[in-house]
Amino acid sequence: MRPPSVADYRELARRRLPRFLFEYIDGGSFDEVTLEANRADLRAVALRQRVLRGGPAIDLRTELFGQALSLPLALAPVGLAGMNARRGEVQAARAAAAAGVPFTLSTVSVCSLSEVAASGTQPFWFQLYMIRDRGFMRELLDAARAAGCSALMFTVDMPVPGSRYRDYRSGLAGAPGLGGAMRRGLQAMGKPRWALDVGLRGGPHHLGNVAPVLAGRTGLEDFFRWMRTNFDPTITWADLDFIRTAWTGPLIIKGVLDPTDAHEAAALGADGIVVSNHGGRQLDGAPSTARALPHIVEAVQGRLKILADGGVRSGLDVVRMLALGADGVLLGRAWAYALAAGGADGVAHMLEIVEAEMRVAMTLAGVHRIDQIGPDLIFRQPSDRRQASATHSAQPNPDAPWRLPL
């Protein structure tokens, strides 16, 4: 029987992957407060159930950055995803293309831009970090352009990597040299299916996009050392003029949690932002996406497209994010779990699950198109209605931004 939910795919991924890889996907930073809040706060968004609202068939189509999509979704960038299944990024890109949604390739992917492009998928998106070597960044942008990438997603919330304790406990980080390699090797030996399919047959195991500057160094220690020394914590909004000038296609700024930063992105000329706390993997205690999103929607006032990620594990969660004001939703851990559990077929099936759950949620909420999902779909407690009446008018304002109770 195929897994009925993303949660079931997570469990299958846990069983199949070596511990150091599963914890890398699953974990957050420090005490994982924000990681947990992403899920809890999104689940707290209650939708209005409406009855006898029959009408046309549910239509999930939308458009983002000039691209027609079958679903208001994209697969988020996930580093090292090619270690979860054999040539994993290629498999995920194929599944996304078949479903009619974009795939976003990470800077720190196993498969390179050229390898994903050669797989024959539809134009995909590319995610980039600010790297100290601006010349190398230009080379990556040229490679993304040559690969036919239709949008650039620039991540701004990782000037330095967050402290991810699970990675230290599992042996992925902080275990240099032969001891760390042996510890990870023993974990891999305990997962023979993964070891055969990915470990032995899935090579080469290096960061395809970064390989030219690693000069043949392919170990995990080399990867983390490169991140620590080459990510640039000195960047400012002024530095992003370099990106806006060098990249002429749609530009999406990922990692915005504050309305002031959303204004900065709009002033830069970005086409979109991703409201995100990096899946709870950076500043622990930062607000959840569900809590931050309505404030940013209110501040931006439609000047750019707003995507969101963080805690999304179902089609119902997608509808919740759209009701909070997002124009589209990124799936991160959801596709990483499915890829680890079932390769391209797993990712394709996960997207089918999310689509089916969206259709159920929209039918029960009485809406039939994506553009009908908005703040008026959110159930408001009587206290919310009284506040809206006192602040705005004698009647509740369905367009007023929804706030999670503190």
Side-chain angles (χ1 to χ4, degrees):
M1 184 182 73
R2 296 202 293 180
S5 71
V6 171
D8 292 287
Y9 269 115
R10 177 185 178 276
E11 176 59 21
L12 288 176
R14 186 189 66 80
R15 294 178 187 176
R16 186 170 190 267
L17 290 175
R19 180 189 170 200
F20 68 91
L21 284 179
F22 176 76
E23 299 289 13
Y24 175 73
I25 298 171
D26 199 57
S29 65
F30 292 91
D31 294 324
E32 302 188 345
V33 172
T34 299
L35 174 68
E36 295 171 6
N38 277 344
R39 293 288 297 121
D41 288 350
L42 191 56
R43 287 196 300 264
V45 178
L47 301 179
R48 297 170 65 194
Q49 178 170 301
R50 302 299 304 278
V51 298
L52 301 177
R53 306 277 290 185
I58 299 294
D59 185 355
L60 300 178
R61 294 173 297 173
T62 192
E63 181 178 309
L64 288 174
F65 312 112
Q67 185 175 350
L69 308 182
S70 299
L71 301 165
L73 300 174
L75 300 192
V78 175
L80 301 181
M83 296 296 292
N84 297 333
R86 190 195 309 183
R87 315 313 294 169
E89 290 96 358
V90 167
Q91 292 200 56
R94 286 174 174 160
V101 300
F103 168 79
T104 313
L105 184 70
S106 170
T107 296
V108 290
S109 59
V110 171
C111 300
S112 67
L113 280 156
S114 58
E115 183 178 353
V116 175
S119 68
T121 60
Q122 66 178 23
F124 56 99
W125 298 352
F126 180 58
Q127 175 269 336
L128 183 64
Y129 294 106
M130 182 62 83
I131 301 168
R132 292 181 187 273
D133 185 345
R134 302 296 197 263
F136 178 54
M137 285 185 67
R138 285 192 180 277
E139 292 176 9
L140 285 176
L141 290 171
D142 289 343
R145 192 176 295 108
C149 292
S150 57
L152 178 70
M153 186 176 290
F154 191 77
T155 297
V156 295
D157 62 352
M158 197 170 169
V160 293
S163 296
R164 301 168 190 173
Y165 297 153
R166 284 209 222 180
D167 290 346
Y168 286 89
R169 294 167 183 146
S170 71
L172 178 65
L178 182 60
M182 289 182 62
R183 184 177 176 186
R184 293 187 294 272
L186 288 172
Q187 292 179 28
M189 290 173 60
K191 305 293 181 179
R193 286 182 56 202
W194 178 91
L196 178 63
D197 184 48
V198 183
L200 296 179
R201 297 175 177 171
H205 297 119
H206 57 67
L207 302 180
N209 298 314
V210 183
V213 293
L214 286 178
R217 300 185 302 273
T218 60
L220 286 171
E221 294 87 2
D222 300 311
F223 161 60
F224 287 112
R225 186 181 304 112
W226 180 84
M227 285 181 63
R228 288 192 300 270
T229 58
N230 286 280
F231 281 22
D232 190 350
T234 70
I235 64 170
T236 67
W237 283 102
D239 293 300
L240 267 63
D241 287 335
F242 159 74
I243 301 296
R244 180 68 283 182
T245 302
W247 180 262
T248 57
L251 174 63
I252 308 162
I253 305 299
K254 182 177 186 292
V256 174
L257 277 181
D258 189 276
T260 302
D261 290 333
H263 283 299
E264 294 276 11
L268 174 74
D271 300 279
I273 57 174
V274 182
V275 180
S276 172
N277 50 44
H278 216 96
R281 295 165 68 82
Q282 285 297 100
L283 178 61
D284 200 27
S288 69
T289 300
R291 193 177 290 274
L293 179 56
H295 298 276
I296 292 175
V297 172
E298 183 181 19
V300 166
Q301 293 292 316
R303 285 180 292 163
L304 39 67
K305 291 292 186 181
I306 298 179
L307 310 180
D309 68 11
V312 180
R313 300 291 187 273
S314 68
L316 175 58
D317 288 341
V318 173
V319 174
R320 285 167 165 151
M321 281 292 198
L322 297 176
L324 289 172
D327 297 298
V329 177
L330 299 184
L331 300 178
R333 288 182 174 90
W335 77 261
Y337 296 143
L339 177 71
D345 289 342
V347 177
H349 181 236
M350 180 276 298
L351 287 169
E352 291 174 5
I353 290 172
V354 170
E355 176 181 354
E357 291 169 340
M358 286 187 68
R359 291 183 182 279
V360 170
M362 290 172 65
T363 300
L364 295 177
V367 294
H368 308 96
R369 302 189 313 271
I370 296 302
D371 61 7
Q372 294 175 331
I373 303 175
D376 59 328
L377 202 65
I378 297 176
F379 174 77
R380 297 169 184 266
Q381 297 288 351
S383 59
D384 298 328
R385 292 197 294 270
R386 285 195 299 269
Q387 182 179 9
S389 296
T391 304
H392 298 287
S393 68
Q395 298 297 321
N397 178 8
D399 296 321
W402 184 79
R403 306 285 191 249
L404 277 164
L406 295 177

